[in-house]
Structure formats: structure tokens, C-alpha cells
Amino acid sequence: MSNLEIRDLHVSVETEQGTKQILKGVDLSIGEGETHAIMGPNGSGKSTLAYAIAGHPKYTVESGSVKLDGEEVLTMTVDERARAGLFLAMQYPVEIPGVSVSNFLRTAKTAIDGAAPPIRGWIKDLDSSMSQLRMDKSFRERNVNEGFSGGEKKRNEILQLELLKPKFAVLDETDSGLDVDALKIVSEGVNRAKANTGLGILLITHYNRILKYIQPDFVHVFVAGKVVEQGGPELAVRLENEGYDRFLSNVNVGS
Amino acid sequence: MSAAPTANTGLIETDQHGMKAHSDGGDAYVPVQSRAERFTSTSVDDFEKVTGFELEWKLTPISRIAALTEGELDGSAPATALPEGVAGVAASWVDRSDARIGTAGAPEERASANAWSSFEKALAIDVSGEELHEYRVIRSELGQTPRAAHTVITAAPFSQGLVILSNSGDAQLSENVEIVVGDQAQLTVVTVQEWTDESNHLASHFARVGRDARLRHIVISLGGGVVRVNPSIHLVETGADGSAFGAYFADAGQHLEQRVYIDHVAAQTKSRVKYKGALQGATARSVWVGDVLIGPHATGTDSYEENRNLVLSEGPRADSIPNLEIETGDIQGAGHASSTGRFDDEQLFYLQSRGIPEDEARRLVVRGFLAEIVAQIGSEQVESELSAAIEAELTRAQGI
Ligand SMILES: Nc1ncnc2c1ncn2[C@@H]1O[C@H](COP(=O)(O)OP(=O)(O)OP(=O)(O)O)[C@@H](O)[C@H]1O
Ligand SMILES: [Mg+2]
């Protein structure tokens, strides 16, 4: 059984005002096939956690560890982490001018698998994932994320999730900017990946809405750089109704 | 030929004759002389010896090209492979007295005038077909003898054409290319430089674009020691449309220069300039100068010029100088953008987060950056050859 263990993770970022501590001791364990939702106010550090796991150079790990099946991830380069089985669906996917979606996906798939995918099977997988995500074939020839609508960018992230078949995925507000239909389509994509590969998921969201389609096993409340409470799906409902007030009494947002 | 008092390209005029030197970028420079007032002559003797202090030459390593600016040039017709049986396009070698010669422009500097004074036969390419056909001229055996060349490309009214000048092998070449685009014609002219490192190439392209006609001019410079291609596009009739695209990849030791001049003469004319360059290696060097002149009668014009440089290692120098002169108050739009920078970290992070190793991610980004220009050519064959050539440049470039 695969697992992802985050232990006492402290992360800072350099700002013009100096070093700013954002994550202040995050502990989380995710097992194979489990879905963990993370909910928390703006600026609490959710995206920072996602980026730190993926290895974004802007974020400095001060201490702690992230282990994938017992292997330390924090000493790996960004691409090594991806090849080890981690995936980040970004809150704001990046545009890559001049690089077509199909070229990008093939290059990524080749890098992850260590060998080019057999052409026929690859085209078939690509076609079927795209059609299930209701992405027109013309997207294959478009430049990565360039001119994509917010919803199209999110579908493109899930397309990659399905094709690259990671062990664990962090979905950073994949639901934001999606209409109801798109939300369903994207959620189905995530659920397919989960069913096919036993994907473990860390799902960052502000809304209970997506959790109706992607059932969480655990819900974590994230405030001021750490997990302050955990529970089951019922906690998400309660958070949506009550907000974060009861956790915020002693902290300022973003401090 | 314009009426300038003396051979004065070496002189820096300080009075601007009431010209408005317009720029909105912090690093855009103020022209010391309106582009319209530059001295022109087809005779090399009208130009003084190049010193390197001239506005035209001060960014060029003139010692490397002295044979072309100062020396005697072989004016015989250069070894040129012409395609046969392309419908709607005819080519022939013509005498200096041919009426087509001198219809699109005249030299503004000594190397160009030297070529003009020296050529014996000009290559005349006439595009007359109303269906688009590709006509590709290949020069790959010019050798190391300093030589001159002259080409006149004429697109008849209503015609369509794609003319590609493919250059490779050795060359010491100074040349002029005249381009005349007849009313409502649509012409694309591409010049591709894949010379050897030991080669030097100075080219002036002069274009006149007619009424409601469209010229797309594309410069791709990958190989050569000093390569300087300067297109001047004169939008002389109402509704003329000119685009100038360029892509270059400068490695160590290479100097790739392009001075683009868009001359909005008539009303309702439109221009777009987009040049993109990648530089790799401490001594790699590029120069882009983009002069746009919107003349007093060019009302309702729309112009935009852009230069982007991607610096792949420590040390290369990319000069990027946009330069806009506007002489009428009634324009639709005029703008410029220029940037020179390193890799976009977010792009690299995104690619790497999908498992793609850093060096491969860098190659993907550069290839993509230049692909936008290559894709403008409109010839599958040439585009795929160039993609492969860029790939080879990237593989050769250490550390990216
Ligand atoms: N590069 C940076 N420079 C300065 N501050 C930063 C930087 N990156 C993150 N921060 C700060 O760190 C804090 C956490 O940001 P983060 O993006 O992780 O929040 P979040 O929980 O994802 O918020 P949201 O719900 O709005 O997406 C915020 O206060 C943010 O302003
Ligand atoms: Mg966020």
C-alpha cells in the first residue's frame, strides 16, 4: 500500500519584507486510494502546502519531511518528484507558448514512464480521456493552456492526471471557476483515476460542492499554516455553514 | 534617391527638423535624424568608409565584415538553384538596365551600395499566379569569395506567392533584395540563414507594398558569423499591409542583427512587426532595431512592433531598440514592446512538475518560443526543416 506522510512541515517564502513563515508544522498522512479534503480560509497556506510538496523553488522548506512510500521527497528535484508518483493540479495552470498539448503530454508521459508510450495505445488513451472530459480534439494542437478558459485549464489538468497516472495528487481548487456541468465532468475524471490506479488525493477546496462528487474520507481544517481539526465528510458541511470563525479567534488571516 | 546634401551616413545630425521622436518605453531611444531623411544612393562612392561610429554601424562588428563594406565584390551571378515548373512564378537573370531594378528602394549604407555598384546580373522573380505556390531559391555554394547579389521579386496585381530564399554553406555576401507587391497582391518572402560559422552576410531588403496589398516578410537567422538582414517596408498605397517577422538563435561568436524599418506613407496602412531571438553563450550577440515611421499622410494607420529575447546563459548581449516616429495626429494605433529576459520559472516549474527533466523543459520552452515565428512561414517542408535546425542548435548549446 502506497502512502504519503507529511511530518511537521515548516515552509517559508522570501518577501520584500523579509522571510515569511507560512506553514507552521503540517502533519498529514494519506493512504492509497484515500481522499483527504483540506479546507481553510484564504491565505492560510493551502497552495503553499501544495507547491512545497511539488517542489516549487519559491518556497523554502525550513524543517519537516514529506515521504512517499518511505522515500524522502523533499530532497528530490521537481521532475523527480513527479516521476516518483506525485502530481499537482494547479490552482492557476501555466501557459506555455508554442508547445502543443499533444507534444507536451507525450513528452511528459515519456518522461514519467521512462520510455515513449506505444503510439497506438497512446492515441487511444488520449482520445478517450479527452472525450470523457468533453475536450474537443482541437485542443491537442493548441498551445498548453494558452487562451484556455478557466474551466478548460482545469480540465487539462485532470487530463494530465488521468494520463500520467500518479500515486498521489494534490488538487488545488480544481473546482473553482467550474460551472455545474464542468464540475461533474472533472469530478468524474478524478474518480476514474482513483478507481483505475488507487490514486490518493489531497483535495484543496473552499466549497462542499465538489465533495458531493468526490467523496472525501477525511476533512482537515487548515488555519494559519497548519491543520487545526480533522473529521469526516460532516465537517465539510459544518464548515460551509459556519465558516472558520471558531478557529480564527486567536489568529489573523495570513499572519 | 532622396535629396540629401552630401554623403552623410557617417554624420550624426542633431537637429530633428521638427520631427517628433516618439517613444513610450523607458529604453527606447530618440532618433537623431528622422528615418525619412536618411541619405540614399546606389553608388558605393557616395558613402564614406565605414568607421563604426555611424548610427547604422555602431552596433555591428565592422572589422569582421570589412571585405563586404570596403572590398571589391565579385558581381557575377551567384550559384543559385531555382525550382522548375512552379505554376505562376517565373525567374530569370537580367541585366543592370532592367526596368524592375531600383523600383523598390535604394541603399542607405555602404555595404548595400557596394553590392549595388558591383552586381552584374540580377535575379528577377516574377509572381503572377492567382493561386498560392511556393518558390524556393537555394544558395548553398557561394564559397568564401566576397560577392554581391541582387534580387528583384515582383508580385503582379492580384497575385499570390510564397518566395523562400534558403541560404546555407559558406558565403561572404552583400546583397540587395527588392520586393514590389502590386495592388491587392499577397506575397510572403522568407529568407533563411543557415550559413557556416565562417560566413558573413549583409542584406538589405526594400519592399514597396501597393494598394490593399499584403506583404509578409520573414527572416530566420540561425547560422553565420555576422548576419545582418535589414528589411525596409514602404507602405506606399492606401490599405497596404506589411508584417515583418523574425526568429534568430545566436550562439557563441555569432552576431545576428536585424534593422527593420516600416514606413507608413499612405493612409489606412497596417503593420505588425514581431521578432523573437534566443541567445546562448557568452559571446553571442543580437541586435534588433525597429524603426516605424508614420508619415504626415498616413492617417488611420495601425502599427505595432515587438521584440522578445530569451537569454539562455550568462553573458550574451541582446540590443533591442524600438523607435517610433509619428507625424500625423490621426492614427488608429501605434505601439511597441520589447523585452529581454531569462527563462520563465513558472513555465519550467510546470513542465518539470509533469516529470520532464529540467534540460528538456528548457528546450521545449525555447523551441516553443521560436516556433511561433516559424509557423508563420506557411510551408510545411521549410517549417519542419527549421524546427529540426532549431532542435540541433538547442542540442549543441551546452547546459540548456
Ligand atoms: N511569493 C510570495 N510572496 C509573499 N507572500 C506570499 C508568497 N506566496 C505566498 N504568500 C503568502 O502566504 C500566505 C499563504 O498563501 P497561499 O497561497 O498558500 O494561501 P491559500 O491558502 O492557498 O489561499 P487561497 O485560499 O486564497 O488560495 C498568504 O498570506 C500569501 O500572501
Ligand atoms: Mg490557494
Side-chain angles (χ1 to χ4, degrees):
Chain A
M1 291 290 272
S2 269
N3 62 72
L4 184 67
E5 299 275 349
I6 302 166
R7 284 288 159 263
D8 199 26
L9 187 62
H10 288 74
V11 170
S12 66
V13 65
E14 287 310 316
T15 72
E16 277 163 21
Q17 290 78 41
T19 305
K20 181 176 175 183
Q21 301 299 325
I22 301 176
L23 300 189
K24 298 167 182 166
V26 179
D27 288 299
L28 268 177
S29 301
I30 306 166
E32 185 171 323
E34 290 176 2
T35 299
H36 294 241
I38 292 194
M39 302 179 83
N42 294 130
S44 55
K46 304 181 298 296
S47 292
T48 302
L49 174 62
Y51 278 127
I53 295 170
H56 194 293
K58 214 165 64 184
Y59 300 91
T60 310
V61 174
E62 304 281 352
S63 62
S65 84
V66 177
K67 285 189 175 157
L68 173 59
D69 299 337
E71 289 268 343
E72 182 57 73
V73 162
L74 296 176
T75 53
M76 297 181 191
T77 62
V78 175
D79 48 300
E80 283 167 355
R81 296 178 197 205
R83 293 198 296 273
L86 295 178
F87 182 89
L88 167 60
M90 289 183 206
Q91 187 172 1
Y92 303 107
V94 182
E95 300 186 2
I96 320 272
V99 178
S100 72
V101 167
S102 72
N103 182 17
F104 164 64
L105 291 174
R106 247 184 90 76
T107 307
K109 183 68 178 167
T110 304
I112 297 256
D113 289 3
I119 189 82
R120 239 196 246 143
W122 169 247
I123 299 280
K124 208 175 122 240
D125 290 352
L126 181 59
D127 276 355
S128 94
S129 292
M130 286 184 81
S131 82
Q132 283 173 315
L133 287 166
R134 309 276 194 285
M135 291 176 77
D136 191 83
K137 278 187 178 169
S138 62
F139 276 98
R140 294 199 302 215
E141 299 320 312
R142 288 181 59 180
N143 294 335
V144 176
N145 293 325
E146 205 176 57
F148 287 23
S149 72
E152 287 165 353
K153 284 182 181 167
K154 296 300 174 70
R155 285 177 210 219
N156 190 34
E157 295 291 282
I158 301 309
L159 175 65
Q160 295 166 47
L161 173 69
E162 280 205 76
L163 293 169
L164 300 181
K165 305 191 190 327
K167 292 179 181 159
F168 290 93
V170 181
L171 310 182
D172 192 0
E173 296 198 28
T174 298
D175 53 340
S176 68
L178 294 181
D179 60 35
V180 184
D181 291 338
L183 182 67
K184 262 191 213 165
I185 290 165
V186 160
S187 301
E188 282 165 15
V190 174
N191 289 331
R192 271 196 305 277
K194 197 172 152 175
N196 290 339
T197 62
L199 175 71
I201 299 168
L202 193 60
L203 189 154
I204 296 169
T205 184
H206 287 286
Y207 307 103
N208 195 32
R209 198 173 70 133
I210 192 172
L211 303 180
K212 290 180 188 142
Y213 300 103
I214 303 173
Q215 293 288 327
D217 302 301
F218 304 93
V219 173
H220 308 268
V221 183
F222 204 80
V223 175
K226 56 179 162 189
V227 175
V228 294
E229 185 165 320
Q230 346 212 5
E234 72 292 341
L235 182 54
V237 179
R238 193 172 159 203
L239 284 171
E240 194 162 84
N241 294 335
E242 297 174 9
Y244 301 103
D245 278 359
R246 70 190 168 97
F247 303 106
L248 288 175
S249 47
N250 296 322
V251 287
N252 295 315
V253 175
S255 67
Chain B
M1 268 154 271
S2 77
T6 52
N8 68 350
T9 44
L11 266 175
I12 292 176
E13 284 194 10
T14 45
D15 65 324
Q16 294 184 20
H17 305 280
M19 289 304 161
K20 202 159 41 162
H22 178 98
S23 72
D24 54 28
D27 56 353
Y29 85 12
V30 178
V32 292
Q33 176 197 34
S34 168
R35 188 69 202 240
E37 293 165 5
R38 290 242 182 118
F39 172 71
T40 64
S41 168
T42 56
S43 170
V44 63
D45 297 331
D46 288 344
F47 293 90
E48 279 163 24
K49 210 170 166 318
V50 173
T51 62
F53 293 112
E54 301 84 350
L55 186 64
E56 265 297 299
W57 293 110
K58 66 177 183 190
L59 298 173
T60 316
I62 58 155
S63 62
R64 292 165 67 179
I65 49 158
L68 300 176
T69 57
E70 315 306 330
E72 205 168 293
L73 303 178
D74 179 344
S76 62
T80 306
L82 301 172
E84 272 170 37
V86 177
V89 186
S92 59
W93 293 95
V94 301
D95 289 332
R96 290 179 64 87
S97 58
D98 191 276
R100 281 164 286 197
I101 291 168
T103 49
E108 288 183 350
E109 36 83 349
R110 190 172 159 100
S112 170
N114 198 16
W116 201 301
S117 295
S118 308
F119 80 92
E120 288 159 19
K121 294 275 185 189
L123 176 63
I125 300 172
D126 292 314
V127 176
S128 58
E130 291 187 16
E131 258 171 59
L132 180 67
H133 289 286
E134 176 182 331
Y135 191 86
R136 186 174 184 189
V137 175
I138 295 175
R139 297 185 293 190
S140 58
E141 294 169 9
L142 299 189
Q144 284 290 348
T145 307
R147 64 176 64 252
H150 197 103
T151 306
V152 188
I153 302 167
T154 311
F158 304 102
S159 68
Q160 284 202 49
L162 167 59
V163 177
I164 299 166
L165 310 174
S166 287
N167 299 307
S168 58
D170 281 341
Q172 300 297 330
L173 175 66
S174 181
E175 69 168 339
N176 293 293
V177 176
E178 296 188 73
I179 301 162
V180 179
V181 189
D183 294 350
Q184 300 207 32
Q186 306 223 357
L187 179 68
T188 300
V189 174
V190 184
T191 179
V192 179
Q193 286 63 244
E194 296 184 83
W195 305 112
T196 59
D197 289 346
E198 296 72 37
S199 299
N200 296 301
H201 179 205
L202 305 177
S204 293
H205 289 216
F206 309 97
R208 282 177 72 84
V209 186
R211 192 179 184 89
D212 297 325
R214 174 152 197 239
L215 172 68
R216 286 155 26 90
H217 187 275
I218 303 168
V219 179
I220 311 283
S221 291
L222 303 177
V226 176
V227 175
R228 192 172 116 129
V229 180
N230 299 345
S232 298
I233 299 174
H234 304 275
L235 303 170
V236 293
E237 303 284 352
T238 307
D241 181 328
S243 313
F245 298 104
Y248 45 94
F249 194 127
D251 315 301
Q254 282 190 294
H255 175 97
L256 304 179
E257 179 167 349
Q258 27 266 313
R259 291 169 176 263
V260 183
Y261 174 32
I262 304 287
D263 181 20
H264 286 269
V265 178
Q268 311 298 330
T269 48
K270 180 180 169 184
S271 69
R272 289 288 179 273
V273 177
K274 190 166 204 173
Y275 271 66
K276 293 176 108 177
L279 294 94
Q280 156 78 27
T283 53
R285 185 89 161 75
S286 73
V287 175
W288 176 85
V289 177
D291 289 346
V292 173
L293 170 61
I294 300 176
H297 307 295
T299 53
T301 53
D302 175 10
S303 102
Y304 191 79
E305 60 168 349
E306 185 177 350
N307 175 228
R308 307 274 176 203
N309 294 297
L310 192 53
V311 178
L312 310 180
S313 67
E314 294 294 335
R317 176 169 163 191
D319 284 289
S320 181
I321 306 167
N323 199 352
L324 195 52
E325 285 180 78
I326 305 177
E327 298 177 345
T328 171
D330 173 21
I331 58 167
Q332 237 194 59
H336 64 68
S338 158
S339 67
T340 297
R342 302 297 297 263
F343 277 105
D344 180 336
D345 288 341
E346 297 302 324
Q347 290 181 3
L348 289 180
F349 171 72
Y350 189 74
L351 294 170
Q352 284 185 261
S353 78
R354 279 12 177 187
I356 301 171
E358 184 174 353
D359 55 347
E360 199 176 350
R362 285 173 186 273
R363 285 203 293 270
L364 260 183
V365 169
V366 182
R367 213 189 294 145
F369 175 75
L370 297 176
E372 184 197 359
I373 302 295
V374 173
Q376 295 290 337
I377 294 175
S379 159
E380 246 177 65
Q381 168 79 18
V382 174
E383 285 173 26
S384 76
E385 282 174 27
L386 284 173
S387 303
I390 289 169
E391 195 62 44
E393 292 272 346
L394 285 166
T395 314
R396 248 191 316 171
Q398 293 287 314
I400 69 158

